Amino acid sequence: MSPPPRGGGLSRRHFALALPSALLASGCAAPHRGTGRPGDPIVLTLLSHYASGELKEALRGPVDEWNATHDRVKVETTAVEFSDLLTTFMVRQAAGQGADILHPYCLWNGQLVQAGVLRPAPPEHAEEVRRGYGEAAVGAASVGGTVYGYPTEVQTYALYYNKRLLRAAGVDGPPRTWRELEDTAYRTTRRDRYGNTLVQGFGLSTYDDSTTVGQTLALLNAAGGTFVSEDGRSTAIDSPAGRAVFGLEHRLVAEGASDPGVNVYRAFASGQVAMVVSAGWWSGSLRTLMGRDYRDVGVAPVPVPRAGDRRATLCTGFMLGVNTASRHPREAWEFLRWLNTGRVTVKGVTATRMSALQVSVGSLTGRADDMRTLLGAGGTGRDPNLRPFLDALGYAVPEPNVPGAQQAKSLLRKNIEAMWTGQQSVDQALRTIRRQVDQEVSRAW
């Protein structure tokens, strides 16, 4: 899964994909390896997708700090393109060249555990994670109830809306239920005299995983549904909740309130989309891209099917864990504890190093207290649009990370897009997803 482009430009990770491969191979704060003589330091390797720009620089700071203050254990970081990260984990492991510390997308955790790549967190570290992070972040960093690492970046989903477009359509505020969502989408849709769409009421887009699968799963969670069954052996989307989500999206497309062929990230920023469900990182990009027009942007919880329904949404994320093949697991876990639980003071505010790192690049961690402290009074600082994402840390549902989850997600996206573009009906799409995904998640890995 690749996060969406930041405000119509390249995302943090898509930017990395545009750089020459030679640049991506460079690490940060890389000490020379020891000669093997007594007294040489232990050198831990950390493999991530923090390959360029602000992410690379953000990680450089704490790694440099560790290396400057620890003589016996040093850390060397390397990075690859995000699109190559999972393959790199698996190939290097098979070749006996796996890094000591890995930074996977949590969706892959089940596959990495099944393949014997990730080491369970020792009890004291598992307790640190369970005690210090929200339930969704802990769930994302766990497989079968076992914690495998420290959560890093965490993203929750909420409803972005254009206040100006809603007012122009006579709508007082953001929708709270699906009926209100659908009504608002139709009322805010505008066409010219030739029938061309000028404003989409609700942004459905085939642009990437986040715009296709992410918001569909956020709506599915809000309806009380799940993508994969609790035991991880079959899909659960062919259910009343899944049928309701697909029916809602199908109607929006059929009635012309959504145009899946449009890049919703550019269109929303230019005032051509009234509402869209997306992740919290986008706020910073919109603020930069839209300038003064960002005052028209509001954020609200993902609408629920009926008034009074319990809130829920999607949570995605990454974590740092230790390789089963590491020769120095104790030292690797101690570095991760230092990075993820050790506190620093930034502009008079004290928080963990990882929370400070993530906020510096416009992201969140699963530590709600840290986030509210770093982002200002009430947890919103200068931008009240951050509050719904912070609040969602308390009720978000992590992506299922069973073995085969990445392929299952790709199959889900393919069939959602086929339904949106009229190649499949709602029933056909749900049946196809059930058949294809059941085959994927139930096979032996």
Side-chain angles (χ1 to χ4, degrees), residues 64-75:
D64 281 352
E65 180 191 354
W66 170 275
N67 286 334
T69 56
H70 292 75
D71 294 329
R72 193 177 69 86
V73 178
K74 303 293 184 180
V75 176

Side-chain angles (χ1 to χ4, degrees), residues 420-433:
W420 286 355
T421 55
Q423 299 172 56
Q424 292 187 141
S425 67
V426 168
D427 286 341
Q428 289 171 330
L430 288 169
R431 285 199 302 270
T432 304
I433 292 167

Side-chain angles (χ1 to χ4, degrees), residues 105-114 118 120 130 137-149 319 399-403:
Y105 172 34
C106 289
L107 182 74
W108 306 332
N109 284 351
Q111 181 175 344
L112 293 172
V113 169
Q114 189 78 10
L118 286 175
R130 292 192 181 98
V138 175
S142 303
V143 176
T146 299
V147 175
Y148 282 88
M319 68 158 219
E399 286 182 292
N401 59 10
V402 297

Side-chain angles (χ1 to χ4, degrees), residues 32-54:
H32 295 295
R33 289 190 172 276
T35 64
R37 292 193 297 267
D40 272 5
I42 292 169
V43 179
L44 301 173
T45 54
L46 187 161
L47 175 60
S48 78
H49 57 289
Y50 284 9
S52 63
E54 60 186 357

Side-chain angles (χ1 to χ4, degrees), residues 154-428:
V154 172
Q155 296 292 342
T156 58
Y157 279 64
L159 179 77
Y160 287 87
Y161 62 98
N162 187 305
K163 292 181 279 189
R164 176 179 57 80
L165 293 177
L166 265 62
R167 284 196 303 267
V171 179
D172 294 333
R176 293 162 295 182
T177 66
W178 286 9
R179 176 173 291 182
E180 292 177 358
L181 173 66
E182 200 166 350
D183 179 63
T184 301
Y186 298 143
R187 290 173 65 176
T188 52
T189 299
R190 290 175 46 217
R191 298 179 180 84
D192 64 19
R193 59 179 179 169
Y194 303 107
N196 300 312
T197 300
L198 300 175
V199 175
Q200 292 183 66
F202 188 79
L204 296 175
S205 178
T206 60
Y207 186 77
D208 66 3
D209 280 356
S210 188
T211 54
T212 303
V213 176
Q215 66 178 345
T216 298
L217 292 184
L219 289 166
L220 180 67
N221 291 337
T226 59
F227 176 33
V228 177
S229 64
E230 187 174 352
D231 65 6
R233 306 299 291 177
S234 63
T235 180
I237 199 170
D238 190 4
S239 63
R243 193 168 299 276
V245 174
F246 276 41
L248 170 66
E249 294 182 347
H250 184 270
R251 289 192 302 275
L252 290 169
V253 174
E255 295 296 327
S258 298
D259 181 357
V262 171
N263 179 344
V264 73
Y265 294 100
R266 291 195 176 104
F268 183 87
S270 60
Q272 296 173 304
V273 173
M275 299 178 293
V276 64
V277 172
S278 192
W281 68 265
W282 197 27
S283 295
S285 295
L286 286 174
R287 190 165 56 244
T288 300
L289 184 65
M290 296 177 69
R292 288 177 58 83
D293 289 339
Y294 182 71
R295 61 189 174 185
D296 292 331
V297 177
V299 177
V302 173
V304 292
R306 294 163 298 276
D309 284 352
R310 184 178 179 180
R311 286 180 180 170
T313 189
L314 177 68
C315 165
T316 64
F318 290 77
M319 68 158 219
L320 281 164
V322 176
N323 196 331
T324 56
S326 173
R327 292 186 300 163
H328 307 287
R330 185 173 64 84
E331 290 81 1
W333 284 114
E334 283 308 306
F335 168 73
L336 291 185
R337 187 206 300 268
W338 176 89
L339 178 62
N340 291 280
T341 70
R343 295 186 171 269
V344 294
T345 300
V346 180
K347 296 181 179 179
V349 174
T350 300
T352 62
R353 289 180 176 85
M354 181 53 67
S355 290
L357 185 161
Q358 293 299 330
V359 167
S360 75
V361 296
S363 185
L364 303 175
T365 69
R367 293 181 177 273
D369 290 344
D370 269 3
M371 293 301 98
R372 290 190 169 90
T373 299
L374 286 165
L375 294 171
T380 61
R382 297 169 298 164
D383 189 353
N385 285 337
L386 296 173
R387 177 177 288 280
F389 300 105
L390 293 174
D391 291 344
L393 290 172
Y395 59 79
V397 178
E399 286 182 292
N401 59 10
V402 297
Q406 180 63 65
Q407 181 62 17
K409 187 173 185 178
S410 298
L411 292 168
L412 177 59
R413 175 182 177 182
K414 177 181 177 181
N415 285 284
I416 290 172
E417 292 177 354
M419 184 264 293
W420 286 355
T421 55
Q423 299 172 56
Q424 292 187 141
S425 67
V426 168
D427 286 341
Q428 289 171 330

